[in-house]
Amino acid sequence: MEKQDIKKWDKTVVWHPFTQMKEYAGEDVLVIERGQGNYLIDSEGAQYLDGVSSLWVNVHGHRKNEIDEAIKAQLDKIAHTTLLGATNEPAVLLAKRLADLTRLQHVFYSDNGSTAVEVALKIAFEYWQLKGRKKKQKFVSFKDSYHGDTLGAVSVGHIELFHEIYRPLLFPTYQAPSPRDANGLDWVEDLLKREGGEIAAIIIEPLIQAAGGMIVQPDGFLGRLKGLCEKYDVLLIADEVATGFGRTGTMFACEQEGVVPELLCLAKGLTGGYLPLAATLTTAEIYEAFLGEYSELKTFFHGHSYTGNPLGCAAALANLDIFENEKTLETLQPKIRTMAEALKRLCEIPQVKEVRQKGLMVGIDLGDQPSEKRIAHKIGLAARKKHVLIRPLGNVIVLMPPLSITEDEILFLVAVVYDAIRAILTGC
Ligand SMILES: *Cc1c(COP(=O)(O)O)cnc(C)c1O
């Protein structure tokens, strides 16, 4: 088997996610072979700074010794066993750790962010059914929200480009205005006043909408939203799949507004970016509504083959240990300031419409570029030539490095992106 075969079969057999394969077929294939710390190394030995944490999952860098060892140790015991009718130690210990960290009481496992959201939606729906408030069946989510690619998650998604074609397949939901403007909360309150009796839950990406283009909410937005949910008896689902595990500067984004949601969705960074694992957390009150005799049919009839996978849970426990042992959240604060300082330069470029940042999540908005010009995509390819890997969202350049990135690496990342934007947009 030759390296060229891998590249050829990649274009002819593998169907890549969120990728126009016709365009991809004309591009150089990048085969990542290894990783070390904040870098990825390709099959030719070239090294790249991982500017988007391997699509927002990696936390402490690649080949992190403690996580590698935790997985190996678990592998020497067992790779997978079920949570249906049995349990395993890593799954139990992780549930306890997550509950303590979030001030929530119960943990339901699945294996990716979309399923974590599906679980939250189904629990919220069924909760009201079990409470006898049978009309509370509807969901509210925000313009530009992204909650995953399965159909329930797409139903509460409001990114036209990704979601519109599937509309006939989806259950209808209320679309609240963009949370970038606090006035949207008046709209939410009006809706809850009128329709609260028919609304099960509001789902939000707290503090910053990620896939929608790194759209930051004004301070106080989440707290006020939680207040409205309480006033009108509607559950709040916090989708922290992207924001969880330090990305916004605190372990979870909700903490910054002192909010404990009724349902919390975690995935991406949960295992430090090593293995697919997700969790949906909830309150004692919701959990208890599902308790009863078997014949009452209150059982939550939901579960996935790899639920509570011990390898994933062992990786997640090691991930949390590193947060404690290395004081990751404390060492993050100067990095966030360095990022903010470095980003200022980007505003000098006339085509840069806005630079948004929350913690180490950054969106550089290039405004309305004609989509056929593929400007942001070309900027990504130009950065790759300079040994930085990024992946834009439409006309927004995204930076979301591992929390382990150093301040020097932040300066390098932003400098490369600055040059790439100038090279593509102004030709100099
Ligand atoms: C990525 C993401 C999801 C979906 O997670 P997958 O693991 O890709 O299914 C859901 N919600 C948010 C906020 C995300 O960023």
Side-chain angles (χ1 to χ4, degrees):
M1 189 192 56
E2 301 288 326
K3 275 188 180 154
Q4 275 328 105
D5 288 334
I6 295 294
K7 294 194 174 186
K8 191 178 86 199
W9 295 335
D10 179 58
K11 286 181 175 179
T12 53
V13 188
V14 180
W15 192 341
H16 286 258
F18 282 100
T19 300
Q20 175 44 257
M21 292 306 291
K22 182 163 184 255
E23 179 180 66
Y24 184 79
E27 289 169 0
D28 259 354
V29 172
L30 176 68
V31 183
I32 299 298
E33 216 167 68
R34 285 174 297 130
Q36 190 60 55
N38 303 321
Y39 294 90
L40 299 163
I41 299 147
D42 73 8
S43 50
E44 262 94 71
Q47 188 168 305
Y48 305 87
L49 183 61
D50 190 353
V52 288
S53 301
S54 294
L55 239 298
W56 315 355
V57 297
N58 192 275
V59 179
H60 306 291
H62 300 276
R63 298 300 315 277
K64 184 74 179 170
N65 189 47
E66 291 87 338
I67 306 181
D68 288 8
E69 293 306 320
I71 293 172
K72 287 179 194 164
Q74 181 57 41
L75 196 53
D76 279 336
K77 296 180 191 158
I78 188 167
H80 183 66
T81 166
T82 183
L83 283 193
L84 277 70
T87 195
N88 69 78
E89 193 173 297
V92 176
L93 293 177
L94 179 61
K96 185 79 180 76
R97 288 279 285 277
L98 291 174
D100 291 345
L101 273 173
T102 58
R103 293 158 53 200
L104 288 163
Q105 284 77 40
H106 299 278
V107 178
F108 191 97
Y109 287 114
S110 61
D111 39 34
N112 62 71
S114 308
T115 53
V117 168
E118 298 287 339
V119 167
L121 297 174
K122 285 176 73 176
I123 290 178
F125 178 90
E126 194 166 341
Y127 169 76
W128 292 115
Q129 297 300 303
L130 294 172
K131 294 293 262 187
R133 313 253 326 249
K134 302 221 183 246
K135 281 192 175 159
K136 285 174 86 68
Q137 298 190 357
K138 299 204 175 121
F139 292 90
V140 182
S141 56
F142 291 87
K143 182 175 185 305
D144 296 322
S145 59
Y146 176 83
H147 299 290
D149 293 335
T150 55
L151 290 176
V154 172
S155 293
V156 289
H158 293 290
I159 299 179
E160 225 178 274
L161 176 67
F162 301 164
H163 298 151
E164 217 35 53
I165 189 154
Y166 303 110
R167 220 31 91 189
L169 285 180
L170 309 177
F171 57 80
T173 54
Y174 292 106
Q175 182 188 215
S178 168
R180 68 182 292 154
D181 181 357
N183 293 331
L185 286 172
D186 296 338
W187 188 96
V188 173
E189 175 146 30
D190 274 352
L191 176 73
L192 295 185
K193 231 183 245 166
R194 280 184 286 114
E195 310 282 341
E198 299 191 354
I199 293 172
I202 300 182
I203 180 166
I204 187 167
E205 297 165 78
L207 301 192
I208 178 168
Q209 292 176 307
M214 297 292 167
I215 299 165
V216 178
Q217 294 151 30
D219 288 346
F221 188 93
L222 183 67
R224 279 183 60 203
L225 181 67
K226 178 75 173 104
L228 292 178
C229 287
E230 279 166 15
K231 184 167 168 197
Y232 295 98
D233 216 7
V234 163
L235 305 179
L236 181 67
I237 305 173
D239 177 355
E240 294 230 27
V241 171
T243 53
F245 303 97
R247 295 287 172 201
T248 66
T250 46
M251 193 55 136
F252 301 108
C254 284
E255 292 167 27
Q256 293 186 37
E257 304 247 333
V259 165
V260 181
E262 278 77 28
L263 288 144
L264 173 66
C265 306
L266 303 175
K268 291 197 169 97
L270 174 57
T271 61
Y274 267 63
L275 288 164
L277 181 72
T280 306
L281 283 84
T282 193
T283 60
E285 151 106 29
I286 289 179
Y287 175 79
E288 280 158 17
F290 287 73
L291 301 180
E293 297 307 321
Y294 185 82
S295 55
E296 291 178 75
L297 299 180
K298 291 180 170 180
T299 305
F300 185 45
F301 290 107
H302 187 109
H304 299 280
S305 309
Y306 286 96
T307 290
N309 173 258
L311 287 176
C313 292
L317 284 166
N319 173 36
L320 295 177
D321 283 342
I322 297 166
F323 270 97
E324 277 181 20
N325 297 338
E326 297 189 359
K327 303 202 179 340
T328 305
L329 295 174
E330 283 161 51
T331 58
L332 200 55
Q333 302 313 318
K335 297 179 190 181
I336 292 169
R337 289 193 291 272
T338 297
M339 178 68 91
E341 205 50 47
L343 288 171
K344 283 185 184 157
R345 247 181 102 202
L346 285 160
C347 302
E348 297 163 9
I349 306 175
Q351 290 90 341
V352 171
K353 197 180 124 214
E354 190 176 48
V355 179
R356 300 183 284 266
Q357 180 191 5
K358 197 78 191 174
L360 280 187
M361 298 171 75
V362 174
I364 302 157
D365 195 332
L366 305 176
D368 289 328
Q369 302 289 339
S371 74
E372 70 279 4
K373 286 202 169 164
R374 307 290 285 134
I375 296 288
H377 180 71
K378 286 179 187 156
I379 290 168
L381 294 177
R384 195 214 277 189
K385 290 210 176 82
K386 299 284 163 59
H387 299 277
V388 164
L389 288 189
I390 52 174
R391 167 107 187 159
L393 287 163
N395 289 323
V396 177
I397 307 288
V398 172
L399 309 181
M400 193 159 156
L403 307 188
S404 51
I405 193 169
T406 66
E407 291 182 55
D408 282 347
E409 287 164 347
I410 289 173
L411 298 179
F412 173 69
L413 171 64
V414 176
V416 166
V417 168
Y418 177 92
D419 289 346
I421 294 175
R422 294 211 36 173
I424 299 298
L425 276 174
T426 64
C428 62

